[in-house]
Amino acid sequence: MLETPQKVAVGRAHSKLILIGEHSVVYGKPAIAFPFKQIEVKVTVKNIEGNAIQIESPFYKGPIELIPEKMEGIGDCVIQTLKVLEKRSSGLHIQITSSIPIGRGLGSSAAIAIALVRGLFAFFNQELSDSQLMPLVERAEKFAHGTPSGIDMIAASSANPIWFQKQQEVESVKIGAPFHFVVADSGRIGDTYSAVKSIRDKYEMKPEKIEESITLLGQLAKEVRLALAAGDSKKVGDKLNQAHQQLDLLGVSDQGLDDLVNAARTAGALGAKLTGGGRGGCILALVENEKLGKKVADALVQAGAAQTWQFTIAKC
Ligand code: MEV
């Protein structure tokens, strides 16, 4: 029995999708990302007897001190957040549940860290500002990705589409008409860390070749921003196809992702590309309407997708 009354607080964060600009964003080019609210992380924080911090997640259940190496960022995020809150003495049970599949370029690591910080601040009845949240999440992201651009954590904590460029103010993105998308999970875990590193290695060997693709991706992001504002879905689709080609040239697509992209296009998608780090993970396809979305989703499952989601970005 607890001597003190049971207190429960919840922190949540949603998934994100990069529409265009993954990888080139690491080199300072702009990118566009959407909040993907259909899937999310929920962190429930409760008080327990004693001083221990117990973690309960799909991958590990036990005291924070024994957290496995691959979850080190999560353990560190809890400890650092408690430091900022100047709380460390009470026993806590922290439960992490998530409908965001991990390693699929859907921002699961950023969403976990955001939900953790939000849950802990809520538990201790503290207001949480972005200037407190972001450094804590950035630290956790460094464990997961090495040198993240920061787009994942901004997109997973934003309610609206964002225009993101390193070291610059995040801007909103005008959406001139609703845009419908299908997202397909290849079912394979991608490794963002090694995908980012592989481009860096190539860049050191052949800077001109890599620079060409990076520059083009930056240009495509600008064109997509204009086409989104104009509500021009055909143009957006065309630019997404071009972006996939450049990501393929950079070596971060693979046969499985190319097959899904081609299946979506053959079924009538206006454009399709990988989203996130690549080499596994997910693709997204732009479709004219929801009915076509269903057709494209079925074709993607036929082509081997483990699961699909449909979503619409509203006019804003
Ligand atoms: C990962 O979601 C996006 C990448 O551009 C890496 C990053 O921006 O940190 C591949």
Side-chain angles (χ1 to χ4, degrees):
M1 276 285 285
L2 273 174
E3 280 168 18
T4 46
Q6 177 98 80
K7 193 175 159 193
V8 184
V10 171
R12 293 177 190 274
H14 54 70
S15 170
K16 66 89 199 164
L17 282 170
I18 298 182
L19 178 65
I20 192 158
E22 52 276 271
H23 289 291
S24 46
V25 73
V26 174
Y27 295 82
K29 301 294 177 203
I32 298 171
F34 295 149
F36 186 31
K37 297 177 188 168
Q38 283 171 35
I39 46 177
E40 65 159 20
V41 175
K42 178 179 170 195
V43 167
T44 308
V45 184
K46 291 181 190 161
N47 51 326
I48 51 171
E49 278 308 336
N51 298 329
I53 299 174
Q54 293 288 339
I55 304 288
E56 187 178 339
S57 77
F59 313 102
Y60 171 71
K61 192 175 167 188
I64 197 163
E65 295 77 17
L66 301 181
I67 205 158
E69 206 184 318
K70 65 174 192 245
M71 288 177 66
E72 225 179 322
I74 292 175
D76 181 78
C77 184
V78 173
I79 302 296
Q80 295 306 322
T81 305
L82 290 173
K83 258 192 201 155
V84 170
L85 286 163
E86 296 179 3
K87 308 273 182 202
R88 188 45 251 255
S89 55
S90 57
L92 293 175
H93 179 267
I94 300 175
Q95 186 183 23
I96 303 167
T97 53
S98 175
S99 52
I100 309 176
I102 60 156
R104 307 298 214 285
L106 297 176
S108 75
S109 58
I112 290 174
I114 294 165
L116 267 175
V117 178
R118 286 180 173 161
L120 285 165
F121 267 71
F123 183 83
F124 291 107
N125 300 317
Q126 296 290 314
E127 287 281 321
L128 173 64
S129 65
D130 273 358
S131 60
Q132 285 167 311
L133 174 68
M134 290 310 166
L136 290 164
V137 178
E138 189 176 8
R139 233 185 111 104
E141 281 288 87
K142 282 195 175 139
F143 280 89
H145 297 315
T147 51
S149 65
I151 189 170
D152 287 12
M153 63 181 194
I154 302 289
S157 60
S158 162
N160 298 306
I162 57 161
W163 173 259
F164 177 92
Q165 200 162 359
K166 260 169 45 172
Q167 324 287 359
Q168 297 200 15
E169 282 279 311
V170 176
E171 292 175 27
S172 56
V173 174
K174 185 170 178 313
I175 309 288
F179 284 84
H180 308 284
F181 292 91
V182 180
V183 180
D185 177 5
S186 68
R188 292 175 296 113
I189 289 190
D191 182 350
T192 300
Y193 182 92
S194 69
V196 170
K197 185 172 178 306
S198 74
I199 296 182
R200 175 80 57 206
D201 292 346
K202 281 187 198 151
Y203 187 85
E204 270 155 29
M205 276 159 55
K206 270 198 179 151
E208 316 80 41
K209 199 95 209 97
I210 299 299
E211 233 162 59
E212 207 179 296
S213 288
I214 299 286
T215 305
L216 197 52
L217 284 164
Q219 186 54 38
L220 288 168
K222 288 181 189 158
E223 289 166 6
V224 166
R225 188 182 194 181
L226 294 174
L228 286 172
D232 188 340
S233 56
K234 288 209 170 51
K235 192 171 257 177
V236 174
D238 181 44
K239 303 294 164 194
L240 298 185
N241 285 338
Q242 291 181 42
H244 184 75
Q245 194 187 358
Q246 292 309 314
L247 290 164
D248 194 24
L249 285 173
L250 288 171
V252 291
S253 189
D254 60 20
Q255 193 57 53
L257 293 176
D258 288 349
D259 288 348
L260 291 179
V261 161
N262 289 331
R265 290 176 189 158
T266 307
L270 297 167
K273 63 179 275 295
L274 69 84
T275 179
R279 295 187 168 176
C282 291
I283 67 127
L284 60 75
L286 175 65
V287 290
E288 193 82 74
N289 53 47
E290 281 166 34
K291 194 162 164 237
L292 242 161
K294 168 91 180 68
K295 187 175 168 220
V296 169
D298 288 347
L300 284 162
V301 170
Q302 284 285 319
Q307 56 185 327
T308 62
W309 301 269
Q310 282 194 62
F311 81 104
T312 299
I313 286 290
K315 195 173 162 176
C316 65

